[in-house]
Amino acid sequence: MIRLLIADDHAIVRGGLKQIFEIIPDLQVVGEAVNGAEVLTRIRQDDLDLLLLDINMPGISGADLIRRVKLQRPDCRFWS
């Protein structure tokens, strides 16, 4: 089972992606984040394998956020 965190600042995008991913048998959406700070919180709280990341969210820049996530969760993979 692949555990996925969806990070996007647009609720409609997150909702649509979540609906699409829910039909995939071996994939589970374990959470959503609306900004970089929330991503950093969620990666500490949730057990996840994959982060679907909008790199143009408000707050922490995409490149900086990726660097921080890799430091905290080196096993996490990205899809942006």
Side-chain angles (χ1 to χ4, degrees):
M1 176 73 64
I2 298 171
R3 297 169 308 265
L4 171 69
L5 173 66
I6 300 173
D8 195 294
D9 56 326
H10 297 96
I12 293 172
V13 172
R14 288 191 319 273
L17 289 169
K18 188 174 179 179
Q19 285 182 343
I20 291 168
F21 291 132
E22 285 177 343
I23 64 172
I24 300 172
D26 292 334
L27 194 141
Q28 176 187 13
V29 177
V30 294
E32 300 177 31
V34 299
N35 57 44
E38 195 170 331
V39 168
L40 294 174
T41 299
R42 297 302 303 242
I43 64 167
R44 286 188 297 271
Q45 296 174 347
D46 299 331
D47 187 22
L48 61 110
D49 302 302
L50 181 63
L51 171 59
L52 176 58
L53 176 64
D54 175 4
I55 60 170
N56 292 315
M57 292 189 297
I60 304 169
S61 73
D64 187 33
L65 182 57
I66 289 171
R67 187 171 45 257
R68 291 182 189 195
V69 170
K70 284 184 177 184
L71 286 172
Q72 292 183 30
R73 295 290 303 269
D75 60 323
C76 183
R77 299 293 175 238
F78 294 87
W79 184 13
S80 59

